[in-house]
Amino acid sequence: MNWLSRLLPSVRSKDQKKDIPEGIWSKCENCQSILYRADLDKNEHVCPKCGFHMYLSARSRLLDFLDKSSTAEIAAQVTPVDVLKFRDRKKYKDRLHDAQKITHEKDALVVFEGALKKMPVVACAFEYKFIGGSMGAVVGEKFVQAVNAALAKRLPLICFSASGGARMQEALISLFQMAKTSAALARFSEAGLPYISVLTNPTMGGVSASLATLGDIIIAEPKALIGFSGPRVIEQTIRQTLPEGFQRSEFLLEHGAIDLIVDRRAMRSKVAGLIAKLMNCAVPTDPELQEGEDAVRQS
Amino acid sequence: MVLQCLDFEQPIAELEEKINELRSLHATHGMNIDEEIKKLEVQSKELTRSIFSNLKPFQVVQLARHPQRPYILDYIPRMFSDFDELHGDRHTSKGASIIGGIARLDEIPVMVIGHQKGRKTNEKIERNFGMGRPEDYWKALRLMEMAEKFHLPILTFIDTAGAYPGIEAEERNQSEAIARNLFSMSTLKTPIICSIIGEGGSGGALALGVGDRLLMLQYSIYSVISPEGCASILWKNAGKASEAAEALGVTANRIKKLGLIDEVVEEPLGGAHRNYDEIAARLKQTISKHLVELLKLPAEKLVQERYARLMSYGLRDDS
């Protein structure tokens, strides 16, 4: 599960950004356009030039997605522990510390209970900049707590995934989070509640092969890399170059793996509409003016 | 069958060669060197014991992948009677890298499912080296759901380097195939006992590994990623596989200490490949013991306890 192969380009692009004054300007990873940061924020980090869906932090994604001032964080106190005292070229403890400093998150999953166009929901999102959004014990536990919170109040569950896969530094414990989260979803499914899984760039390995592909409805953002094995591993195994667009959202839609591809800027309305139908609710209405939301986003 | 020796077994191999030479001398020249042979045999056993009591994790990895290690098709005739192999995912494929079928464990009818790596080149190709594709996991799920319907306990035998990384496997949604097995196995209303008999390679292993009991053979391994893969990512050097195996803690005893498995089944001196009958008998005895316990539980309690076990993964005592 090569979460790092996905992490590497982002590390590289960070280096490239060094020649851009920080905070004001940003660069599109896809078309390389220099973008005014405020414009990008207003556009939910979708490149205004080429439509590429850029990285978005877990917390801003959820705050953008849910109704304003409706949110309460769930399981915020769960923190990672280096049970195995894992050490490669760097101590896992130090990697955790660095990731916490960069992201201001305790681990790679953020969970909120809130409202989506006035409908109460539980929503969670992966923080990709936290060790490649990898799933260890904390991500597994927080996801289960999200499921349980939704189960207790009979709410729909939404998950935005962005992950390289299982977290190697937690060894077998991380592998077993796949079983743990899938089992929780089996129980959730038995309760007849909708689970919407939104796949964002990238969703690979152990996360793809568990909670991310178990949605009643599976949505992907455009051109997201989604798959089980990393492209490099496949290339090395079959000794062939991979076809254009392999493992991208459009490829998955073509092969029947996902229900639909939705632009990030339309996600809120689309998911609200789907959930309202699955829960047999009236057509949802937005509690806020669009301008109001934008103002909050920029702040 | 001539035993194939791993590098760290070389001193044992040399001693055994010497013993064989003496034996042939004994046979051809009628020389009476019985005592000498006996002495060397004792010495060889001692040496084996001492080498095997102090194995490094990566040496265990090598044993788990030993080309002569017994596979599920070696265990089936030794552990079960009346085995009927069942094939196919019902849609696309025979699903040959995962064996499945109904057999009897003593008197009890059971569903047997497990990876088969393949021994000779032809079989390896037919079995895809034991690396499951989506259709193999679909087939496994079909058989497991049938087992639930007819109240057959499910016994899985895990031995795979991992799920197959290929274009077609991705096209057919490898991720979902694995996820669906994890999802469904967590609620099947029949006992499930999973045994790691060789390599427990990541998601491809876990897809047959959700159950009420998890057993590991002494020299089997279970890991989130291969030591080589981990080394090339975290150390940027596949040559550091030995260090990675150490850090990942892939061996049965280490995993048992973490409380992630129920029991380690001890292997014959020198590893399972030195005595198929003995390891099969030991594994059968261990599985039977656990199955008797599980069969006493009502289905609902069984599933409840399985759920509690899954939820406990990763939770710490202090949390």
Side-chain angles (χ1 to χ4, degrees):
Chain A
M1 302 186 190
N2 65 335
W3 57 271
L4 206 83
S5 72
R6 299 306 314 150
L7 188 68
L8 283 175
S10 75
V11 171
R12 230 175 283 134
S13 67
K14 206 187 278 166
D15 288 341
Q16 290 164 0
K17 272 182 203 155
K18 271 184 187 158
D19 44 354
I20 307 165
E22 232 176 82
I24 302 168
W25 300 98
S26 209
K27 194 174 184 179
C28 173
E29 303 152 43
N30 186 50
C31 70
Q32 313 295 319
S33 300
I34 307 290
L35 305 166
Y36 187 43
R37 181 128 207 141
D39 287 345
L40 199 57
D41 285 344
K42 217 185 289 178
N43 212 30
E44 301 190 38
H45 288 248
V46 175
C47 174
K49 298 266 164 36
C50 72
F52 185 75
H53 283 50
M54 294 166 69
Y55 160 81
L56 184 59
S57 80
R59 198 164 287 269
S60 14
R61 183 185 285 278
L62 291 174
L63 292 176
D64 279 355
F65 180 73
L66 296 167
D67 295 350
K68 253 187 311 167
S69 64
S70 72
T71 50
E73 193 167 352
I74 291 176
Q77 76 293 349
V78 188
T79 42
V81 170
D82 177 17
V83 180
L84 304 175
K85 306 265 175 284
F86 193 98
R87 178 183 197 149
D88 44 85
R89 294 176 311 154
K90 199 169 166 182
K91 282 185 190 162
Y92 176 41
K93 219 175 83 186
D94 297 338
R95 284 189 198 271
L96 283 173
H97 184 253
D98 294 350
Q100 286 166 344
K101 235 169 115 181
I102 294 167
T103 62
H104 306 292
E105 301 293 350
K106 293 203 175 81
D107 209 302
L109 192 77
V110 180
V111 186
F112 276 114
E113 186 180 330
L116 175 64
K117 297 207 177 183
K118 294 185 193 160
M119 295 181 294
V121 298
V122 173
C124 54
F126 279 76
E127 176 49 63
Y128 186 66
K129 289 200 172 160
F130 197 105
I131 316 187
S134 56
M135 177 161 69
V138 171
V139 170
E141 178 60 22
K142 286 182 88 165
F143 187 81
V144 168
Q145 290 198 25
V147 172
N148 289 343
L151 210 48
K153 294 190 181 170
R154 297 200 57 84
L155 305 180
L157 176 70
I158 303 140
C159 177
F160 295 90
S161 49
S163 172
R167 189 172 297 166
M168 278 179 284
Q169 292 87 346
E170 293 189 22
L172 206 57
I173 296 168
S174 71
L175 185 73
F176 282 9
Q177 300 312 308
M178 293 168 64
K180 179 171 173 169
T181 53
S182 300
L185 286 172
R187 215 169 236 210
F188 191 70
S189 181
E190 281 174 355
L193 295 165
Y195 167 46
I196 313 287
S197 175
V198 183
L199 314 179
T200 78
N201 187 41
T203 298
M204 301 297 292
V207 170
S208 169
S210 61
L211 58 98
T213 43
L214 292 171
D216 295 300
I217 293 177
I218 305 177
I219 300 172
E221 287 191 340
K223 296 202 173 68
L225 185 76
I226 301 156
F228 178 64
S229 305
R232 274 198 321 193
V233 174
I234 298 174
E235 264 179 348
Q236 280 163 14
T237 308
I238 62 171
R239 294 170 200 287
Q240 274 176 290
T241 27
L242 299 171
E244 180 75 24
F246 181 66
Q247 291 183 321
R248 295 285 165 183
S249 307
E250 297 70 19
F251 172 92
L252 269 84
L253 185 69
E254 203 52 46
H255 286 92
I258 57 174
D259 289 282
L260 61 168
I261 296 173
V262 176
D263 189 295
R264 186 182 290 165
R265 293 159 290 186
M267 195 66 77
R268 194 176 134 80
S269 291
K270 183 58 92 179
V271 174
L274 287 167
I275 286 178
K277 278 171 274 186
L278 293 178
M279 300 284 284
N280 204 4
C281 300
V283 179
T285 50
D286 220 315
E288 301 131 18
L289 291 170
Q290 202 61 41
E291 290 85 353
E293 279 181 12
D294 286 342
V296 168
R297 244 173 249 141
Q298 283 173 50
S299 63
Chain B
M1 186 168 70
V2 182
L3 269 182
Q4 293 181 30
C5 260
L6 299 169
D7 51 3
F8 64 88
E9 292 179 298
Q10 214 47 51
I12 307 168
E14 279 164 20
L15 205 54
E16 275 173 3
E17 200 177 320
K18 211 162 157 192
I19 294 169
N20 285 337
E21 264 172 36
L22 283 179
R23 274 209 191 103
S24 68
L25 268 179
H26 179 76
T28 51
H29 302 288
M31 290 167 73
N32 195 0
I33 37 178
D34 273 357
E35 234 165 73
E36 184 66 16
I37 292 176
K38 252 184 211 149
K39 228 168 81 189
L40 285 176
E41 277 174 344
V42 171
Q43 213 181 320
S44 155
K45 235 180 206 167
E46 282 302 315
L47 184 65
T48 311
R49 199 163 284 137
S50 110
I51 288 177
F52 274 75
S53 65
N54 212 359
L55 291 175
K56 293 211 161 68
F58 196 70
Q59 293 172 327
V60 177
V61 173
Q62 289 172 286
L63 281 169
R65 295 171 178 165
H66 196 289
Q68 288 166 320
R69 194 161 176 88
Y71 298 148
I72 185 173
L73 285 182
D74 302 306
Y75 285 102
I76 287 173
R78 288 174 174 84
M79 289 175 61
F80 305 102
S81 57
D82 197 13
F83 175 66
D84 287 308
E85 187 172 357
L86 304 172
H87 298 94
D89 66 7
R90 290 288 190 268
H91 298 285
T92 58
S93 165
K94 188 176 158 190
S97 52
I98 293 178
I99 302 279
I102 313 173
R104 281 180 193 274
L105 179 70
D106 295 323
E107 296 309 310
I108 311 167
V110 292
M111 180 65 78
V112 180
I113 296 172
H115 308 92
Q116 172 72 17
K117 287 180 169 177
R119 189 96 40 208
K120 292 191 178 131
T121 309
N122 278 352
E123 200 207 349
K124 282 189 168 111
I125 293 166
E126 186 199 337
R127 305 288 181 197
N128 202 30
F129 298 80
M131 292 189 284
R133 288 159 294 203
E135 45 272 34
D136 297 296
Y137 295 112
W138 298 336
K139 164 186 163 181
L141 184 58
R142 177 179 79 80
L143 296 178
M144 289 192 278
E145 283 170 347
M146 188 195 344
E148 180 188 43
K149 179 172 171 185
F150 296 104
H151 309 290
L152 307 179
I154 299 166
L155 308 178
T156 71
F157 295 79
I158 294 164
D159 188 14
T160 182
Y164 185 62
I167 293 180
E168 294 82 5
E170 293 292 322
E171 284 175 349
R172 294 186 192 136
N173 209 352
Q174 184 74 282
S175 289
E176 199 268 352
I178 294 170
R180 188 61 53 190
N181 277 19
L182 308 180
F183 181 94
S184 300
M185 288 178 87
S186 72
T187 57
L188 287 177
K189 292 182 185 63
T190 191
I192 307 173
I193 300 178
C194 312
S195 307
I196 316 275
I197 55 171
E199 268 186 287
S202 196
L206 187 67
L208 297 184
V210 177
D212 305 297
R213 293 287 189 276
L214 183 52
L215 315 174
M216 279 182 82
L217 298 193
Q218 186 181 5
Y219 302 129
S220 67
I221 56 164
Y222 200 178
S223 184
V224 65
I225 183 169
S226 72
E228 291 84 354
C230 180
S232 71
I233 296 170
L234 290 183
W235 277 264
K236 314 258 180 251
N237 178 358
K240 299 278 184 192
S242 182
E243 278 95 322
E246 192 106 36
L248 287 165
V250 298
T251 63
N253 286 328
R254 174 99 188 268
I255 293 166
K256 177 75 174 67
K257 271 189 202 135
L258 288 171
L260 296 173
I261 55 171
D262 297 278
E263 193 167 344
V264 178
V265 181
E266 206 180 309
E267 295 192 20
L269 183 62
H273 59 285
R274 286 171 190 256
N275 196 332
Y276 284 18
D277 291 339
E278 198 180 325
I279 190 62
R282 286 187 195 180
L283 183 56
K284 179 180 173 181
Q285 195 189 14
T286 312
I287 288 177
S288 300
K289 179 184 76 185
H290 287 287
L291 188 57
V292 167
E293 288 171 20
L294 293 173
L295 285 171
K296 286 182 197 146
L297 298 174
E300 240 155 69
K301 180 124 169 75
L302 185 78
V303 173
Q304 236 171 48
E305 285 185 9
R306 189 185 306 151
Y307 191 77
R309 150 191 292 260
L310 289 164
M311 291 308 120
S312 76
Y313 291 145
L315 283 188
R316 306 176 308 272
D317 293 333
D318 57 326
S319 65

